[in-house]
Amino acid sequence: MGQLPAASNVLPVREYLLVALTAAVVTFLLVGLVRALAFRIGAVAHPRTRDVHVKPMPRMGGLAMYGGVLGGMMLAHQLPVLRSAFDFSYDPYAVVLGGGIIVLVGIVDDRFELDSLTKLAGQVTAAGVLVLYGLQWFVFWVPWGDDGSGTGSLLVLDQNQGALLSVLLAVTMINAMNFVDGLDGLAAGIGLIAAAATCAFSIGGVLANNEGDVGAYPPALIAACLAGACLGFLPHNFNPARIFMGDSGSMLIGLMLAAATTSASGKLNYESLNASDVLGLMSPLLVVAAVLFVPLLDLLMAIVRRTRKGQSPFSADKMHLHHRLLQIGHSQRRAVLLIYLWAGLLAFGAVSLTVFDTGVVAWCFLIGLLLAFFISAVPRLRESRKNRA
């Protein structure tokens, strides 16, 4: 990757904001057209036993979100600084092509309800496109071994190992976001939070530490486009929703989050970080884990729960995290906002570790954690108080 000239060696924050805003506006304006198209072709979600909505709802909102992503990418290609992300990397092209494939698979599923194996084949194909364009893990730090610094070692992956890890991460993230999409505005909000946190990490942790290296531009660009698309879709999807994003949207979010985190962390120059600071070396893995924590926890719990019952991991039930919050006594809106709180606390807490003083971040995180626990338990506390009375 090349270096920008010294005069241009700045963080193009305003250009990223402009790209995100463009993606949001394009997505917002396209939703009406996509909603009419969904009704016309029959891509409608009819209420089922495990569903929360009570009336037929158009889906396929991921098509509008993909339009917003394309709008953001096209604008970035014309901007003086962010254009370098296309000249020095194939990552944006990989996301556009892979995203198009996953949205197409999602549209077919939104209309005809594909079986799990067919969907998995489409997900692997989209993830494989990312790898073919070079968007994959090459190296990451592990806390064991010793490379001479006394703080662990760097694990270098060959082409096949990196490709396998990258595809596995992408497919896992796609299905995690698909699983978590169960309440109005839930997947779009988590996608917005995760993308914003990834963008902040890419700018503050990757781009700043690489001193203007244009190779660090793509992850922030991918995350900014996704954040804008989720933001533009959210007003149409928050309770009471007028349209669902469907699998076309949730799988697009998962794929782009995997692409952004892989682009940011999988090719990070660890030598630019303080080799004596273990937390600094772990920061890319911490951010990835925190961004993916809520949807991956839901996915893991669902797999364990279903396999223990002898069911397929892809079979449906009403025991997801959002269903449990509803059972506790939270309303739909409050359950969604609570999951936003948990996701934001984890994601931005991890990002803050790479930017601010560790002690201050730890105290703020602890206070936020206690507050989140208390708010989550309020219905149970009220019920217990009523029982005692």
Short mmCIF file of all heavy atoms in Angstrom, two decimals, residues 66-111:
data_model
loop_
_atom_site.label_atom_id
_atom_site.label_comp_id
_atom_site.label_asym_id
_atom_site.label_seq_id
_atom_site.Cartn_x
_atom_site.Cartn_y
_atom_site.Cartn_z
N TYR A 66 -28.82 -1.96 0.14
CA TYR A 66 -27.74 -2.16 -0.82
C TYR A 66 -27.63 -0.98 -1.78
O TYR A 66 -26.52 -0.56 -2.14
CB TYR A 66 -27.97 -3.46 -1.59
CG TYR A 66 -26.87 -3.79 -2.59
CD1 TYR A 66 -25.58 -4.07 -2.15
CD2 TYR A 66 -27.12 -3.82 -3.95
CE1 TYR A 66 -24.57 -4.38 -3.05
CE2 TYR A 66 -26.12 -4.13 -4.86
CZ TYR A 66 -24.84 -4.40 -4.40
OH TYR A 66 -23.84 -4.69 -5.30
N GLY A 67 -28.78 -0.41 -2.15
CA GLY A 67 -28.76 0.80 -2.97
C GLY A 67 -28.06 1.94 -2.26
O GLY A 67 -27.30 2.71 -2.87
N GLY A 68 -28.29 2.05 -0.93
CA GLY A 68 -27.60 3.09 -0.16
C GLY A 68 -26.10 2.86 -0.10
O GLY A 68 -25.31 3.80 -0.20
N VAL A 69 -25.70 1.59 0.05
CA VAL A 69 -24.27 1.25 0.06
C VAL A 69 -23.63 1.63 -1.27
O VAL A 69 -22.54 2.21 -1.32
CB VAL A 69 -24.07 -0.25 0.36
CG1 VAL A 69 -22.62 -0.66 0.13
CG2 VAL A 69 -24.48 -0.56 1.78
N LEU A 70 -24.32 1.30 -2.37
CA LEU A 70 -23.79 1.66 -3.69
C LEU A 70 -23.66 3.17 -3.84
O LEU A 70 -22.67 3.67 -4.39
CB LEU A 70 -24.71 1.11 -4.79
CG LEU A 70 -24.71 -0.41 -5.01
CD1 LEU A 70 -25.68 -0.77 -6.13
CD2 LEU A 70 -23.31 -0.92 -5.32
N GLY A 71 -24.67 3.91 -3.35
CA GLY A 71 -24.61 5.36 -3.42
C GLY A 71 -23.42 5.92 -2.65
O GLY A 71 -22.71 6.82 -3.13
N GLY A 72 -23.18 5.38 -1.45
CA GLY A 72 -22.04 5.83 -0.67
C GLY A 72 -20.71 5.50 -1.33
O GLY A 72 -19.79 6.32 -1.34
N MET A 73 -20.62 4.30 -1.90
CA MET A 73 -19.38 3.90 -2.58
C MET A 73 -19.12 4.76 -3.82
O MET A 73 -17.98 5.16 -4.08
CB MET A 73 -19.47 2.42 -2.99
CG MET A 73 -19.40 1.45 -1.83
SD MET A 73 -17.73 1.37 -1.13
CE MET A 73 -17.93 0.04 0.07
N MET A 74 -20.17 5.05 -4.57
CA MET A 74 -20.01 5.87 -5.77
C MET A 74 -19.54 7.27 -5.42
O MET A 74 -18.68 7.84 -6.10
CB MET A 74 -21.33 5.90 -6.55
CG MET A 74 -21.71 4.58 -7.19
SD MET A 74 -23.37 4.59 -7.92
CE MET A 74 -23.17 5.83 -9.20
N LEU A 75 -20.10 7.83 -4.35
CA LEU A 75 -19.65 9.15 -3.92
C LEU A 75 -18.19 9.11 -3.47
O LEU A 75 -17.39 9.98 -3.84
CB LEU A 75 -20.52 9.66 -2.78
CG LEU A 75 -20.08 10.99 -2.16
CD1 LEU A 75 -20.19 12.13 -3.18
CD2 LEU A 75 -20.88 11.32 -0.91
N ALA A 76 -17.84 8.09 -2.67
CA ALA A 76 -16.46 7.98 -2.18
C ALA A 76 -15.48 7.88 -3.33
O ALA A 76 -14.36 8.41 -3.26
CB ALA A 76 -16.33 6.76 -1.27
N HIS A 77 -15.88 7.23 -4.41
CA HIS A 77 -15.00 7.09 -5.57
C HIS A 77 -14.70 8.43 -6.23
O HIS A 77 -13.69 8.57 -6.93
CB HIS A 77 -15.64 6.14 -6.59
CG HIS A 77 -14.72 5.71 -7.69
ND1 HIS A 77 -14.60 6.39 -8.88
CD2 HIS A 77 -13.85 4.66 -7.77
CE1 HIS A 77 -13.72 5.79 -9.66
NE2 HIS A 77 -13.25 4.73 -9.01
N GLN A 78 -15.56 9.43 -6.01
CA GLN A 78 -15.37 10.75 -6.62
C GLN A 78 -14.72 11.75 -5.67
O GLN A 78 -14.39 12.86 -6.09
CB GLN A 78 -16.73 11.30 -7.08
CG GLN A 78 -17.48 10.40 -8.06
CD GLN A 78 -16.66 10.10 -9.30
OE1 GLN A 78 -16.04 11.00 -9.88
NE2 GLN A 78 -16.64 8.83 -9.71
N LEU A 79 -14.57 11.41 -4.40
CA LEU A 79 -13.98 12.33 -3.44
C LEU A 79 -12.46 12.32 -3.54
O LEU A 79 -11.85 11.28 -3.83
CB LEU A 79 -14.42 11.95 -2.02
CG LEU A 79 -15.92 12.12 -1.73
CD1 LEU A 79 -16.26 11.62 -0.33
CD2 LEU A 79 -16.35 13.57 -1.90
N PRO A 80 -11.82 13.46 -3.30
CA PRO A 80 -10.37 13.57 -3.56
C PRO A 80 -9.51 12.65 -2.71
O PRO A 80 -8.49 12.14 -3.18
CB PRO A 80 -10.07 15.04 -3.25
CG PRO A 80 -11.22 15.51 -2.42
CD PRO A 80 -12.40 14.74 -2.86
N VAL A 81 -9.88 12.41 -1.44
CA VAL A 81 -9.05 11.59 -0.56
C VAL A 81 -9.50 10.14 -0.58
O VAL A 81 -8.70 9.22 -0.76
CB VAL A 81 -9.07 12.15 0.88
CG1 VAL A 81 -8.23 11.25 1.80
CG2 VAL A 81 -8.54 13.57 0.91
N LEU A 82 -10.80 9.90 -0.40
CA LEU A 82 -11.28 8.52 -0.29
C LEU A 82 -11.19 7.75 -1.60
O LEU A 82 -11.28 6.52 -1.60
CB LEU A 82 -12.73 8.50 0.21
CG LEU A 82 -12.94 8.88 1.68
CD1 LEU A 82 -14.37 8.62 2.12
CD2 LEU A 82 -11.97 8.11 2.58
N ARG A 83 -11.01 8.45 -2.70
CA ARG A 83 -10.81 7.74 -3.97
C ARG A 83 -9.60 6.80 -3.89
O ARG A 83 -9.55 5.77 -4.58
CB ARG A 83 -10.62 8.75 -5.10
CG ARG A 83 -10.40 8.10 -6.46
CD ARG A 83 -10.16 9.12 -7.56
NE ARG A 83 -9.82 8.44 -8.80
CZ ARG A 83 -10.69 7.92 -9.65
NH1 ARG A 83 -11.99 8.00 -9.38
NH2 ARG A 83 -10.29 7.32 -10.75
N SER A 84 -8.64 7.16 -3.02
CA SER A 84 -7.45 6.33 -2.87
C SER A 84 -7.78 4.94 -2.37
O SER A 84 -7.03 3.99 -2.61
CB SER A 84 -6.47 7.00 -1.90
OG SER A 84 -6.11 8.30 -2.36
N ALA A 85 -8.91 4.79 -1.65
CA ALA A 85 -9.30 3.48 -1.16
C ALA A 85 -9.56 2.51 -2.30
O ALA A 85 -9.37 1.29 -2.15
CB ALA A 85 -10.55 3.59 -0.28
N PHE A 86 -9.97 3.03 -3.46
CA PHE A 86 -10.24 2.19 -4.64
C PHE A 86 -8.96 1.98 -5.46
O PHE A 86 -8.83 0.95 -6.13
CB PHE A 86 -11.30 2.84 -5.51
CG PHE A 86 -12.64 2.99 -4.84
CD1 PHE A 86 -12.91 4.08 -4.04
CD2 PHE A 86 -13.63 2.03 -5.01
CE1 PHE A 86 -14.15 4.23 -3.42
CE2 PHE A 86 -14.86 2.16 -4.40
CZ PHE A 86 -15.11 3.27 -3.59
N ASP A 87 -8.06 2.95 -5.42
CA ASP A 87 -6.84 2.85 -6.22
C ASP A 87 -5.82 1.89 -5.62
O ASP A 87 -5.04 1.28 -6.35
CB ASP A 87 -6.20 4.24 -6.37
CG ASP A 87 -7.08 5.20 -7.15
OD1 ASP A 87 -7.91 4.72 -7.95
OD2 ASP A 87 -6.96 6.42 -6.94
N PHE A 88 -5.82 1.76 -4.29
CA PHE A 88 -4.79 0.98 -3.63
C PHE A 88 -5.32 -0.31 -3.00
O PHE A 88 -4.58 -1.02 -2.34
CB PHE A 88 -4.11 1.82 -2.53
CG PHE A 88 -3.22 2.90 -3.08
CD1 PHE A 88 -3.75 4.11 -3.50
CD2 PHE A 88 -1.86 2.69 -3.18
CE1 PHE A 88 -2.93 5.11 -4.01
CE2 PHE A 88 -1.04 3.68 -3.69
CZ PHE A 88 -1.58 4.89 -4.11
N SER A 89 -6.63 -0.60 -3.17
CA SER A 89 -7.19 -1.80 -2.55
C SER A 89 -8.40 -2.25 -3.35
O SER A 89 -9.12 -1.44 -3.94
CB SER A 89 -7.60 -1.50 -1.10
OG SER A 89 -8.33 -2.58 -0.57
N TYR A 90 -8.62 -3.57 -3.35
CA TYR A 90 -9.81 -4.13 -3.99
C TYR A 90 -10.93 -4.38 -2.99
O TYR A 90 -11.98 -4.91 -3.36
CB TYR A 90 -9.45 -5.46 -4.68
CG TYR A 90 -8.59 -5.32 -5.90
CD1 TYR A 90 -7.27 -5.78 -5.90
CD2 TYR A 90 -9.08 -4.73 -7.05
CE1 TYR A 90 -6.47 -5.65 -7.02
CE2 TYR A 90 -8.28 -4.59 -8.17
CZ TYR A 90 -6.98 -5.05 -8.15
OH TYR A 90 -6.19 -4.92 -9.27
N ASP A 91 -10.73 -4.01 -1.72
CA ASP A 91 -11.73 -4.28 -0.69
C ASP A 91 -13.10 -3.69 -1.00
O ASP A 91 -14.12 -4.37 -0.85
CB ASP A 91 -11.23 -3.80 0.68
CG ASP A 91 -10.06 -4.63 1.19
OD1 ASP A 91 -9.64 -5.57 0.48
OD2 ASP A 91 -9.58 -4.35 2.30
N PRO A 92 -13.18 -2.40 -1.42
CA PRO A 92 -14.51 -1.86 -1.74
C PRO A 92 -15.19 -2.60 -2.88
O PRO A 92 -16.41 -2.83 -2.84
CB PRO A 92 -14.21 -0.40 -2.12
CG PRO A 92 -12.91 -0.08 -1.45
CD PRO A 92 -12.13 -1.36 -1.50
N TYR A 93 -14.43 -2.98 -3.91
CA TYR A 93 -15.02 -3.73 -5.02
C TYR A 93 -15.51 -5.10 -4.54
O TYR A 93 -16.56 -5.58 -4.98
CB TYR A 93 -13.99 -3.92 -6.14
CG TYR A 93 -13.49 -2.63 -6.75
CD1 TYR A 93 -12.21 -2.17 -6.49
CD2 TYR A 93 -14.31 -1.88 -7.59
CE1 TYR A 93 -11.75 -0.98 -7.05
CE2 TYR A 93 -13.86 -0.70 -8.16
CZ TYR A 93 -12.57 -0.25 -7.88
OH TYR A 93 -12.13 0.91 -8.44
N ALA A 94 -14.76 -5.72 -3.64
CA ALA A 94 -15.15 -7.03 -3.10
C ALA A 94 -16.48 -6.94 -2.36
O ALA A 94 -17.35 -7.80 -2.50
CB ALA A 94 -14.06 -7.57 -2.18
N VAL A 95 -16.64 -5.86 -1.58
CA VAL A 95 -17.87 -5.69 -0.82
C VAL A 95 -19.06 -5.42 -1.74
O VAL A 95 -20.16 -5.95 -1.53
CB VAL A 95 -17.70 -4.54 0.20
CG1 VAL A 95 -19.04 -4.12 0.79
CG2 VAL A 95 -16.74 -4.97 1.30
N VAL A 96 -18.85 -4.62 -2.77
CA VAL A 96 -19.94 -4.33 -3.72
C VAL A 96 -20.40 -5.60 -4.42
O VAL A 96 -21.60 -5.89 -4.51
CB VAL A 96 -19.49 -3.27 -4.74
CG1 VAL A 96 -20.50 -3.17 -5.89
CG2 VAL A 96 -19.33 -1.91 -4.07
N LEU A 97 -19.45 -6.41 -4.90
CA LEU A 97 -19.81 -7.64 -5.61
C LEU A 97 -20.35 -8.70 -4.66
O LEU A 97 -21.40 -9.31 -4.91
CB LEU A 97 -18.59 -8.17 -6.36
CG LEU A 97 -18.82 -9.42 -7.23
CD1 LEU A 97 -19.95 -9.18 -8.22
CD2 LEU A 97 -17.54 -9.82 -7.96
N GLY A 98 -19.65 -8.93 -3.55
CA GLY A 98 -20.12 -9.91 -2.58
C GLY A 98 -21.46 -9.51 -1.98
O GLY A 98 -22.34 -10.35 -1.76
N GLY A 99 -21.62 -8.21 -1.72
CA GLY A 99 -22.90 -7.73 -1.20
C GLY A 99 -24.03 -7.92 -2.19
O GLY A 99 -25.16 -8.26 -1.81
N GLY A 100 -23.75 -7.70 -3.47
CA GLY A 100 -24.77 -7.93 -4.49
C GLY A 100 -25.22 -9.38 -4.53
O GLY A 100 -26.42 -9.67 -4.67
N ILE A 101 -24.27 -10.30 -4.38
CA ILE A 101 -24.61 -11.73 -4.39
C ILE A 101 -25.47 -12.08 -3.18
O ILE A 101 -26.50 -12.77 -3.30
CB ILE A 101 -23.33 -12.58 -4.41
CG1 ILE A 101 -22.60 -12.40 -5.74
CG2 ILE A 101 -23.66 -14.06 -4.19
CD1 ILE A 101 -21.24 -13.08 -5.79
N ILE A 102 -25.08 -11.62 -2.00
CA ILE A 102 -25.81 -11.98 -0.78
C ILE A 102 -27.20 -11.34 -0.78
O ILE A 102 -28.17 -11.93 -0.27
CB ILE A 102 -25.01 -11.58 0.48
CG1 ILE A 102 -25.42 -12.46 1.66
CG2 ILE A 102 -25.21 -10.13 0.85
CD1 ILE A 102 -25.02 -13.89 1.55
N VAL A 103 -27.33 -10.14 -1.33
CA VAL A 103 -28.65 -9.50 -1.41
C VAL A 103 -29.54 -10.26 -2.39
O VAL A 103 -30.74 -10.45 -2.14
CB VAL A 103 -28.51 -8.02 -1.82
CG1 VAL A 103 -29.86 -7.43 -2.21
CG2 VAL A 103 -27.90 -7.21 -0.68
N LEU A 104 -28.98 -10.70 -3.50
CA LEU A 104 -29.75 -11.48 -4.47
C LEU A 104 -30.26 -12.78 -3.84
O LEU A 104 -31.44 -13.15 -4.00
CB LEU A 104 -28.89 -11.78 -5.69
CG LEU A 104 -29.57 -12.57 -6.83
CD1 LEU A 104 -30.79 -11.82 -7.36
CD2 LEU A 104 -28.58 -12.85 -7.95
N VAL A 105 -29.38 -13.47 -3.11
CA VAL A 105 -29.81 -14.69 -2.41
C VAL A 105 -30.90 -14.35 -1.40
O VAL A 105 -31.90 -15.09 -1.27
CB VAL A 105 -28.61 -15.34 -1.70
CG1 VAL A 105 -29.06 -16.51 -0.82
CG2 VAL A 105 -27.58 -15.82 -2.71
N GLY A 106 -30.73 -13.24 -0.68
CA GLY A 106 -31.73 -12.84 0.31
C GLY A 106 -33.07 -12.48 -0.31
O GLY A 106 -34.12 -12.80 0.25
N ILE A 107 -33.05 -11.83 -1.47
CA ILE A 107 -34.31 -11.48 -2.16
C ILE A 107 -35.08 -12.74 -2.55
O ILE A 107 -36.29 -12.84 -2.35
CB ILE A 107 -34.02 -10.61 -3.39
CG1 ILE A 107 -33.56 -9.22 -2.96
CG2 ILE A 107 -35.25 -10.51 -4.28
CD1 ILE A 107 -33.10 -8.34 -4.11
N VAL A 108 -34.35 -13.72 -3.09
CA VAL A 108 -35.00 -14.99 -3.47
C VAL A 108 -35.57 -15.66 -2.22
O VAL A 108 -36.69 -16.20 -2.24
CB VAL A 108 -34.00 -15.92 -4.18
CG1 VAL A 108 -34.65 -17.27 -4.48
CG2 VAL A 108 -33.51 -15.28 -5.48
N ASP A 109 -34.82 -15.62 -1.12
CA ASP A 109 -35.31 -16.22 0.12
C ASP A 109 -36.51 -15.45 0.68
O ASP A 109 -37.46 -16.06 1.20
CB ASP A 109 -34.19 -16.27 1.15
CG ASP A 109 -34.62 -16.94 2.44
OD1 ASP A 109 -34.94 -18.14 2.41
OD2 ASP A 109 -34.65 -16.25 3.48
N ASP A 110 -36.48 -14.12 0.60
CA ASP A 110 -37.60 -13.32 1.07
C ASP A 110 -38.88 -13.63 0.31
O ASP A 110 -39.98 -13.53 0.85
CB ASP A 110 -37.28 -11.82 0.95
CG ASP A 110 -36.23 -11.37 1.95
OD1 ASP A 110 -36.03 -12.07 2.96
OD2 ASP A 110 -35.59 -10.32 1.70
N ARG A 111 -38.72 -14.04 -0.95
CA ARG A 111 -39.90 -14.34 -1.76
C ARG A 111 -40.31 -15.81 -1.69
O ARG A 111 -41.49 -16.13 -1.54
CB ARG A 111 -39.62 -13.95 -3.23
CG ARG A 111 -40.73 -14.34 -4.22
CD ARG A 111 -42.05 -13.70 -3.84
NE ARG A 111 -43.12 -14.13 -4.74
CZ ARG A 111 -43.87 -15.22 -4.56
NH1 ARG A 111 -43.64 -16.02 -3.52
NH2 ARG A 111 -44.83 -15.53 -5.40
#
